[in-house]
């Protein structure tokens, strides 16, 4: 199973998960095969030995295997997990980066509330408040929409919500993230996962 995930072979990962379930408890499969395989791929991506298409294929394979395993996990195993809110900020219609982050977070068993693209600050604040969201991820791909990210963070802070904010996107830098008061700048999708693990303790 781990090899299928690392090679990004979705169908093989599904078959391997079904086979393992016959002799291994589902949670053990997740903890001993699925997550370590994703970690290795993630580390390879950070070192530059694994490239984005491979990372995505591996995440998709892990997600498919997890769907098989989920049916055998005790109910509520994942449903109580804190939700992470993701949105591409107002005026920006690019969501590939956000979607990559979503796939990776979900394959690490985080629950994601995806508000989509071109999302107004007010909608993000409202969702964060009503759903008691602990972590908000904001994406912007254009310099013209970066100010909308700043405005969203301003409104989240003004609403006095306790959530952390992680930002990313092609035009966002560490300096800009610091300037607008983000809690974390994620240079790539794996950094978002690491930050979520740090904040949400899983």
């Amino acid at each position: 199973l781990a090899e299928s995930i690392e090679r990004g072979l979705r169908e093989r990962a599904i078959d391997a998960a079904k086979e393992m379930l016959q002799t291994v408890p589902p949670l053990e499969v997740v903890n001993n095969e699925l997550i370590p395989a994703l970690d290795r791929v993630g580390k390879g991506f950070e070192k530059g030995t694994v490239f984005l298409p491979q990372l995505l294929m591996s995440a998709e394979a892990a997600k498919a295997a997890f769907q098989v395993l989920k049916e055998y996990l005790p109910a509520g195993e994942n449903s109580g997990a804190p939700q992470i809110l993701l949105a591409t900020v107002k005026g920006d219609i690019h969501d590939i980066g956000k979607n990559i982050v979503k796939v990776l977070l979900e394959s690490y068993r985080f629950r994601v509330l995806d508000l989509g693209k071109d999302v107004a600050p007010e909608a993000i604040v409202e969702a964060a408040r009503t759903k008691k969201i602990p972590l908000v991820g904001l994406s912007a791909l254009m310099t013209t929409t970066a100010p909308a990210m700043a405005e969203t963070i301003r409104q989240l802070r003004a609403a006095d919500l306790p959530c952390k904010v992680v930002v990313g996107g092609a035009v966002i830098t560490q300096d800009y993230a610091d300037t607008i008061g983000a809690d974390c700048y994620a240079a790539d999708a794996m950094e978002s996962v690491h930050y979520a693990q740090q904040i949400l303790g899983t």
Side-chain angles (χ1 to χ4, degrees), residues 3 13 15 20 25 32 45 48 64 74 76 92 126 130 149 164-165 173 176 180 182-183 196 202:
E3 188 205 354
D15 292 342
M20 283 196 81
N32 300 339
F45 178 67
D92 207 318
E126 183 56 26
T130 54
M149 185 179 269
K164 297 283 188 192
V165 181
T173 61
Y176 187 71
I180 62 175
D183 295 292
T202 57

Side-chain angles (χ1 to χ4, degrees), residues 1-14 16-17 20 29 32-38 40-41 54 57-59 61-62 65:
L1 175 59
E3 188 205 354
S4 302
I5 289 169
E6 286 180 61
R7 290 174 60 190
L9 304 172
R10 189 175 178 276
E11 298 307 318
R12 254 189 64 180
I14 291 171
M20 283 196 81
V29 179
N32 300 339
E33 293 281 326
L34 208 132
I35 290 176
L38 270 177
R40 286 193 290 274
V41 174
Q54 176 64 42
M57 283 166 67
S58 293

Side-chain angles (χ1 to χ4, degrees), residues 5 9-11 24-26 35 38 76 83 92 103 118 121 127 138 141 150 153 160 167 175 181 194 199 202:
I5 289 169
L9 304 172
R10 189 175 178 276
E11 298 307 318
V24 185
I35 290 176
L38 270 177
Q83 271 194 316
D92 207 318
V103 167
D118 188 17
L138 301 176
L141 238 76
I153 292 177
D160 206 19
V167 297
D175 284 348
H194 294 327
I199 294 304
T202 57

Side-chain angles (χ1 to χ4, degrees), residues 68-169:
V68 173
L69 298 165
K70 204 158 84 170
E71 290 173 36
Y72 298 89
L73 286 167
E77 190 74 53
N78 198 30
S79 59
Q83 271 194 316
I84 298 168
L85 185 155
L86 293 182
T88 301
V89 297
K90 187 168 175 58
D92 207 318
I93 52 158
H94 301 86
D95 62 357
I96 186 155
K98 172 183 65 63
N99 292 344
I100 291 167
V101 172
K102 180 183 178 181
V103 167
L104 279 177
L105 284 169
E106 286 179 341
S107 59
Y108 275 83
R109 305 187 63 214
F110 288 107
R111 289 196 307 147
V112 176
L113 173 63
D114 183 359
L115 294 189
K117 54 196 176 185
D118 188 17
V119 186
E122 295 77 11
I124 294 168
V125 171
E126 183 56 26
R129 179 190 288 116
T130 54
K131 304 270 189 204
K132 298 184 168 51
I133 299 285
L135 180 57
V136 172
L138 301 176
S139 167
L141 238 76
M142 309 186 310
T143 42
T144 50
T145 57
M149 185 179 269
E151 175 58 19
T152 302
I153 292 177
R154 192 193 67 71
Q155 289 196 26
L156 283 166
R157 301 299 187 227
D160 206 19
L161 297 173
C163 59
K164 297 283 188 192
V165 181
V166 56
V167 297

